[in-house]
Amino acid sequence: MTGRPAFPGNGIHEILLKNKKGDVPYPPKYWDKISADGKDLVAKMLHKDPRIRISAREALAHSWFNPENKSVSENVLLEVSANIANLRQEMNIDMRQMLSLIHISEPTRRS
């Protein structure tokens, strides 16, 4: 929502380590503009425990997406959309490199 990565880092290894730890920073500089509903949605989507983390279906049913929600105006949606576009450009991560690192770091499963 803010246009900033949930797990910022100076390289793919640092980003993946922060992701694994599940520590999400919410700097006021970026998050003060986000509604309580928006913060709640992000916190539920990024919950470290996958048993507690909401599914995509649950996320789409969240009150932040409700058209009756007064905290989410068309301007907010346009800003979030622009933030996401900026994030894509800023991240500039080679997805093949990330996927290969994830694959390598997975423990070997035995049958």
Side-chain angles (χ1 to χ4, degrees):
M1 288 186 188
T2 65
R4 311 296 310 160
F7 304 100
N10 292 321
I12 196 72
H13 291 285
E14 185 178 347
I15 292 168
L16 291 175
L17 181 62
K18 287 181 177 183
N19 185 288
K20 185 176 180 178
K21 287 181 180 179
D23 295 330
V24 182
Y26 294 97
K29 176 179 177 180
Y30 304 109
W31 285 93
D32 279 353
K33 298 188 294 186
I34 306 300
S35 69
D37 272 343
K39 292 173 186 176
D40 181 64
L41 173 61
V42 170
K44 288 177 177 176
M45 290 190 311
L46 294 177
H47 198 285
K48 183 177 180 176
D49 186 340
R51 296 168 298 184
I52 298 172
R53 188 180 317 129
I54 62 174
S55 67
R57 184 178 307 273
E58 292 168 323
L60 289 172
H62 190 276
S63 61
W64 190 81
F65 287 107
N66 183 337
E68 304 290 318
N69 187 341
K70 302 296 183 210
S71 69
V72 182
S73 66
E74 188 173 333
N75 290 338
V76 169
L77 294 177
L78 289 172
E79 185 176 345
V80 168
S81 181
N83 287 344
I84 291 169
N86 290 336
L87 176 62
R88 283 188 190 131
Q89 291 175 349
E90 284 186 33
M91 289 298 290
N92 196 20
I93 293 174
D94 183 345
M95 292 305 290
R96 287 173 286 177
Q97 179 189 11
M98 183 185 300
L99 292 173
S100 69
L101 287 170
I102 292 170
H103 178 62
I104 290 169
S105 66
E106 287 181 0
T108 306
R109 295 187 179 118
R110 297 182 184 181
S111 317

